[in-house]
Amino acid sequence: MSKPDQLLVDVATLVESGHSNQMSLTVVTGGAVITGRLAPEAVWRQRVSEVLTDSARLGEFAAIFTTTTPREEPPTHLHFHVARILQGTVGIPETGGMYRVSIADVSAWTMGDFSYSDH
């Protein structure tokens, strides 16, 4: 998308202001389908920092995710947690991952997350 979808920006703004991680969303970006729950950026950064801190090899990167600056402008990215990339009938990773997606790169979206089955 050359210009971000204003309705999607409004959804992201509401997630940011409510500090909730219960909004389920599915997006198409760069040909990939990502489905999961949106989180406020600060919550997402904290969780990524925790995962990195627990890693013996990646712990040194944790600090860059704990630094946030207050923003006055609308959000430019969606922050997914407990999210999966859908590939056929499989969701990758099975346990859900942490994804950051540029709103400007979303070509399609819908409220809710898609479930998948291997049956």
Side-chain angles (χ1 to χ4, degrees):
M1 269 188 198
S2 58
K3 183 175 186 213
D5 180 326
Q6 186 58 49
L7 188 54
L8 188 54
V9 171
D10 292 346
V11 168
T13 300
L14 194 55
V15 168
E16 287 293 331
S17 68
H19 302 289
S20 169
N21 62 358
Q22 298 306 306
M23 172 54 68
S24 295
L25 190 73
T26 299
V27 300
V28 177
T29 180
V33 177
I34 299 175
T35 190
R37 289 197 317 239
L38 292 179
E41 182 176 0
V43 171
W44 182 88
R45 283 174 170 264
Q46 179 61 39
R47 181 66 185 123
V48 171
S49 176
E50 290 167 2
V51 169
L52 291 171
T53 297
D54 291 343
S55 170
R57 295 179 307 170
L58 302 174
E60 66 187 279
F61 292 97
I64 64 172
F65 287 91
T66 59
T67 306
T68 58
T69 52
R71 295 209 171 114
E72 304 247 344
E73 69 271 0
T76 57
H77 289 78
L78 301 171
H79 295 87
F80 285 91
H81 85 118
V82 191
R84 295 173 178 88
I85 297 173
L86 299 181
Q87 177 71 34
T89 59
V90 177
I92 306 166
E94 285 185 22
T95 58
M98 307 290 287
Y99 298 103
R100 177 178 160 109
V101 176
S102 171
I103 295 172
D105 292 339
V106 172
S107 59
W109 62 277
T110 188
M111 303 305 286
D113 58 348
F114 284 108
S115 59
Y116 49 88
S117 171
D118 58 356
H119 298 111

